[in-house]
Amino acid sequence: MNLKQLSEILGLSQTTVSRALNGYPEVSEDTRTRVQAAAHKHGYRPNSRAKGLATGRSMVIGHVIPSSSQHEMVNPIFGDFVAGAVKKYSENGYDLMFTSADDTSIERAYRSLFQRGAVDGVVLQGPKVNEPRIEVLNRMGVPFIVHGRSTGVDVPYDWVDVNNKSSFLRATRFLIDLGHRRIALINGLEDMDFAQRRRDGYLEAFGQAGLSPDTNLMRSAEMTEVYGHHETQKMLCLDDPPTAILCSSMISAIGVRRALSENGLEMGADVSVIAHDDDLSYLKNGQDVPIFTATRSSVRQAGEIAADMLIKRIKAPDDPVKTRLLEAELVVGRSTGPAPNRLLS
Amino acid sequence: MNLKQLSEILGLSQTTVSRALNGYPEVSEDTRTRVQAAAHKHGYRPNSRAKGLATGRSMVIGHVIPSSSQHEMVNPIFGDFVAGAVKKYSENGYDLMFTSADDTSIERAYRSLFQRGAVDGVVLQGPKVNEPRIEVLNRMGVPFIVHGRSTGVDVPYDWVDVNNKSSFLRATRFLIDLGHRRIALINGLEDMDFAQRRRDGYLEAFGQAGLSPDTNLMRSAEMTEVYGHHETQKMLCLDDPPTAILCSSMISAIGVRRALSENGLEMGADVSVIAHDDDLSYLKNGQDVPIFTATRSSVRQAGEIAADMLIKRIKAPDDPVKTRLLEAELVVGRSTGPAPNRLLS
DNA sequence: CTCACTTTTCAAAGCGCTTTGGATGAATGT
DNA sequence: ACATTCATCCAAAGCGCTTTGAAAAGTGAG
């Protein structure tokens, strides 16, 4: 069932039917309702490709996920971010289109998506430091939003980010205040912008306290469970193991916990742990009492905000750049406690 | 840059340029290379909407995720399944489109996606028992594939599924062989087809051994970490707690482990645990030695297979129905061991 | 009843591509 | 020399929609 058929059934022109359905004023309420009824009855749905061709807009927003040849990992926060975004998209009549691209062809993927008219805007996730994609998108003139920021990129762009630095500063200070001095940082890959900012916060807390961290306790890699376990295991074997661990992800923190319990250590008593909690729906940090003391910020909500901002940008490409910095809250759970009295330290 | 402009630059007709780029034979190799060079030089990318309009195909495959009003959870296996699928899609020139829909409007979402010509085929994830969506899709005549199956639906349809019954049967028998009798099943929501099949396998293993399970040890809910913890906690308080736990997800199994360690119990010695491992990239079950004894089946691979099958279906709508049953492997880790000698049992 | 104006409807062009059904000219066979 | 074939190329139609510019129908004032 297409417009032509529907208009023939109604004995109206395609113009009128189209206008009736799209809410234009130059059609009588009478015929409008008649048209709507017929459309509903015959299950008419305007072909989105034809509509897109005619309007020049696709009502689709693109995401590119790196089908990373390097690291095969699909970021677990991906699902929640997308869930948040897609909710807002559909509220506004947009669909979401994915493409995957390996690390070498991400730029091409974005370019293709936009230039062949498949999308009206794109979302950039997981920016690295000096993220080259941002300039590419800027030059292309595609409306876009970055989830995160990129240190070193000075062209203006829209972004939503959680205040990684302040939240890790605060978490570190919290541990210092509890008497901890040997605080490990199990961080994400430090070419990722968020990881660098978290490290900065961690370092600044030490600086503010007049202390200096042991660089031997700073680790960086992709944030899997096994990684958290592995690094903790190794650090527990040090002559002077950490009394506290600051961990960039809940998943890795679970590995940390596993290592601690394998070594007969009690979390919160022997070793304190703070994790960053993206508030993933399937990995809630406890229900009433949080399992981990954590810096919490919902990545799903970030997805919603990003979607809203991008849609606004698409509608008003020349508006001034907008940014949004979300503050993570520090939720105190049972994984932290005063530093144990240690003979040597 | 569009076809018309490009053809004017080249001094050729749109027909010839189009044919040259799409590899049709009725164009000389000479002009073909010339056209390709010009297309590349000017960054020409055919508009996919126009192409879709002209060809009647959109080269897009649709997924609908329930933005569940009921349970807000975004299935963690979602990301990996999609990653696998999207890889195959892009290898074959397809894009992936998402829409979210709340539980009440999922059918409408599929219908809209297909009938307005936005997609050439759709993927159905997470089928329930007697899944109504399957019949809907069948009636619509949209090519589709189901990840999983649906007991009670007797129309034919393509599916890929892991053999949930046999893998849980095998896991249960493994525990029985180790001397366990009080084996808990921490299952997913039992209106989900996979969960029902797992329970069937579990029950059949008991039946085969001439035993009968304690229905009090069978739990069912959404498979979060907290759920695994909570149910384990409760069952450990029973007069006659389980000596083994069979758990439908790694995420919940992590909660199980947490509950055990909080109770001072050692996994594999005091209580054996088997989990179902979807082999998620960010949640590997250990690197060399598996953490959990597990029934393992890569959901990412399932995504790849599903994508391949769907693409074949789109190309040959009238081929006989194809199905694919994947066998999970039982990997034995350190979370299982002989049933402890207990005074009462 | 006519004029000016508003409301309602329409025919046709256009979005950028593919594809049908020729046209053109060169090459081949006789 | 002619007809015949083949390799290249092209003009134009069509995909299903929106939108422009104009026509028809209705309305109230004079």
Side-chain angles (χ1 to χ4, degrees):
Chain A
M1 172 64 53
N2 57 23
L3 225 209
K4 193 174 173 188
Q5 292 166 20
L6 185 64
S7 62
E8 277 164 5
I9 290 175
L10 282 159
L12 289 168
S13 74
Q14 297 188 35
T15 312
T16 306
V17 176
S18 169
R19 286 192 159 142
L21 293 174
N22 290 314
Y24 281 76
E26 51 270 87
V27 58
S28 69
E29 273 317 306
D30 214 34
T31 53
R32 189 190 302 282
T33 50
R34 198 162 63 91
V35 168
Q36 280 169 340
H40 186 79
K41 178 182 163 195
H42 294 92
Y44 167 70
R45 292 168 201 277
N47 182 298
S48 32
R49 286 180 311 233
K51 195 163 184 161
L53 232 206
T55 57
R57 280 167 299 123
S58 61
M59 299 305 285
V60 176
I61 285 167
H63 289 222
V64 175
I65 53 172
S67 76
S68 230
S69 37
Q70 269 187 296
H71 17 262
E72 277 278 315
M73 176 179 146
V74 177
N75 199 314
I77 71 169
F78 163 87
D80 264 47
F81 181 85
V82 165
V86 84
K87 184 183 156 208
K88 290 295 177 183
Y89 293 159
S90 64
E91 282 175 17
N92 289 275
Y94 282 87
D95 285 321
L96 163 51
M97 178 167 287
F98 273 109
T99 313
S100 82
D102 58 41
D103 283 348
T104 61
S105 64
I106 291 189
E107 174 183 337
R108 199 168 55 226
Y110 276 114
R111 196 178 287 282
S112 154
L113 220 43
F114 182 62
Q115 292 184 344
R116 60 180 225 258
V119 302
D120 294 338
V122 297
V123 171
L124 178 55
Q125 287 169 277
K128 300 189 174 185
V129 176
N130 287 313
E131 179 59 63
R133 289 177 288 169
I134 292 177
E135 289 215 29
V136 170
L137 294 179
N138 238 324
R139 275 202 308 278
M140 276 171 54
V142 51
F144 70 100
I145 187 156
V146 181
H147 179 212
R149 280 172 286 174
S150 179
T151 310
V153 173
D154 52 359
V155 297
Y157 55 92
D158 292 348
W159 53 259
V160 215
D161 197 6
V162 55
N163 197 339
N164 284 298
K165 183 171 177 185
S166 80
S167 66
F168 268 51
L169 190 159
R170 193 158 157 221
T172 309
R173 190 190 301 154
F174 182 79
L175 290 170
I176 290 174
D177 289 347
L178 283 169
H180 295 278
R181 291 300 175 266
R182 295 193 57 73
I183 302 170
L185 175 66
I186 297 187
N187 205 358
L189 284 168
E190 288 190 352
D191 57 344
M192 301 298 286
D193 193 77
F194 78 89
Q196 200 165 86
R197 288 178 195 272
R198 288 179 186 177
R199 192 187 56 191
D200 289 350
Y202 165 86
L203 292 175
E204 189 162 321
F206 273 93
Q208 285 179 1
L211 300 167
S212 55
D214 182 352
T215 53
N216 200 27
L217 296 181
M218 294 166 63
R219 307 299 168 93
S220 160
E222 265 194 295
M223 302 181 296
T224 61
E225 198 268 359
V226 171
Y227 159 61
H229 176 263
H230 185 240
E231 297 301 328
T232 305
Q233 192 65 49
K234 282 202 303 193
M235 288 194 284
L236 290 177
C237 296
L238 294 175
D239 291 341
D240 199 4
T243 65
I245 297 174
L246 191 52
C247 186
S248 250
S249 109
M250 285 276 291
I251 297 268
S252 301
I254 287 168
V256 170
R257 187 176 69 204
R258 179 161 62 95
L260 294 179
S261 85
E262 280 173 9
N263 284 272
L265 296 169
E266 197 185 337
M267 199 171 71
D270 302 313
V271 177
S272 287
V273 176
I274 297 185
H276 181 77
D277 176 10
D278 289 301
D279 205 18
L280 304 182
S281 46
Y282 57 91
L283 194 63
K284 289 287 178 206
N285 185 10
Q287 16 203 27
D288 16 273
V289 185
I291 302 162
F292 291 101
T293 296
T295 55
R296 173 154 62 200
S297 174
S298 163
V299 73
R300 190 189 187 107
Q301 193 205 349
E304 294 186 17
I305 292 171
D308 274 338
M309 287 175 69
L310 178 55
I311 289 168
K312 280 199 189 113
R313 166 65 56 216
I314 290 170
K315 287 182 179 156
D318 298 322
D319 272 9
V321 157
K322 287 205 184 71
T323 63
R324 179 81 182 273
L325 190 57
L326 307 169
E327 293 297 332
E329 62 176 328
L330 183 68
V331 296
V332 179
R334 293 176 304 178
S335 68
T336 43
N341 285 328
R342 311 182 80 254
L343 298 178
L344 313 156
S345 92
Chain B
M1 172 63 53
N2 58 23
L3 225 209
K4 193 175 174 190
Q5 292 167 22
L6 185 65
S7 62
E8 276 164 6
I9 289 175
L10 282 159
L12 289 168
S13 74
Q14 298 189 35
T15 311
T16 306
V17 176
S18 169
R19 286 192 161 145
L21 293 174
N22 291 315
Y24 282 76
E26 51 271 87
V27 58
S28 69
E29 272 318 304
D30 214 34
T31 52
R32 190 190 302 281
T33 50
R34 198 161 64 89
V35 168
Q36 280 168 340
H40 186 78
K41 179 182 163 197
H42 295 92
Y44 168 70
R45 293 169 200 276
N47 182 298
S48 32
R49 288 184 307 246
K51 196 164 184 161
L53 233 206
T55 57
R57 281 168 297 125
S58 62
M59 300 305 286
V60 176
I61 285 166
H63 289 222
V64 175
I65 54 172
S67 75
S68 230
S69 36
Q70 268 188 297
H71 17 263
E72 277 278 316
M73 175 178 147
V74 177
N75 200 314
I77 71 169
F78 163 87
D80 264 48
F81 181 85
V82 165
V86 85
K87 185 183 155 209
K88 291 293 178 185
Y89 293 159
S90 64
E91 282 175 17
N92 289 275
Y94 283 88
D95 286 321
L96 164 51
M97 179 167 286
F98 273 109
T99 313
S100 83
D102 58 40
D103 284 348
T104 61
S105 64
I106 290 188
E107 174 182 336
R108 198 167 56 226
Y110 276 112
R111 194 177 289 281
S112 154
L113 221 42
F114 182 63
Q115 292 184 345
R116 61 180 223 255
V119 303
D120 294 337
V122 298
V123 171
L124 178 55
Q125 286 169 277
K128 301 191 173 183
V129 176
N130 287 313
E131 178 59 63
R133 290 177 288 168
I134 293 177
E135 289 214 28
V136 171
L137 295 179
N138 238 324
R139 274 203 308 277
M140 275 170 54
V142 51
F144 70 100
I145 187 155
V146 180
H147 179 211
R149 280 171 286 176
S150 179
T151 310
V153 174
D154 51 0
V155 298
Y157 56 91
D158 293 347
W159 52 260
V160 215
D161 198 7
V162 54
N163 197 338
N164 285 298
K165 184 172 177 184
S166 79
S167 66
F168 267 52
L169 190 159
R170 196 160 153 217
T172 309
R173 190 190 302 154
F174 181 80
L175 289 170
I176 291 173
D177 289 347
L178 282 170
H180 295 278
R181 291 299 175 269
R182 294 193 58 73
I183 303 171
L185 175 65
I186 297 187
N187 205 359
L189 283 167
E190 288 189 352
D191 57 344
M192 301 298 285
D193 193 77
F194 78 90
Q196 200 165 85
R197 288 178 195 274
R198 289 179 185 176
R199 191 188 56 191
D200 289 349
Y202 165 88
L203 293 175
E204 189 161 321
F206 273 92
Q208 285 179 1
L211 301 167
S212 54
D214 182 350
T215 53
N216 201 25
L217 297 181
M218 295 167 62
R219 308 297 168 96
S220 160
E222 263 195 296
M223 301 182 296
T224 60
E225 198 268 359
V226 171
Y227 160 60
H229 175 264
H230 185 240
E231 297 302 327
T232 305
Q233 192 65 48
K234 280 202 305 192
M235 287 193 286
L236 290 177
C237 296
L238 294 175
D239 292 340
D240 199 4
T243 65
I245 297 173
L246 191 51
C247 185
S248 251
S249 111
M250 285 275 292
I251 298 267
S252 301
I254 287 168
V256 170
R257 186 177 67 205
R258 177 160 63 95
L260 293 179
S261 84
E262 281 173 7
N263 284 272
L265 295 169
E266 197 185 338
M267 200 171 70
D270 302 313
V271 177
S272 288
V273 176
I274 299 185
H276 181 77
D277 176 10
D278 289 301
D279 205 18
L280 304 182
S281 46
Y282 58 92
L283 194 62
K284 289 288 177 204
N285 186 8
Q287 16 203 26
D288 16 272
V289 185
I291 302 162
F292 290 101
T293 296
T295 55
R296 173 153 62 199
S297 174
S298 163
V299 73
R300 190 189 187 108
Q301 193 205 349
E304 296 186 17
I305 293 171
D308 274 337
M309 288 175 69
L310 178 54
I311 290 168
K312 280 199 190 115
R313 167 63 56 215
I314 290 170
K315 287 182 179 157
D318 299 322
D319 272 10
V321 157
K322 287 204 183 71
T323 62
R324 178 82 181 273
L325 189 57
L326 306 169
E327 291 298 331
E329 62 176 329
L330 183 68
V331 297
V332 178
R334 295 176 302 178
S335 68
T336 44
N341 286 328
R342 313 183 77 253
L343 298 178
L344 311 156
S345 94

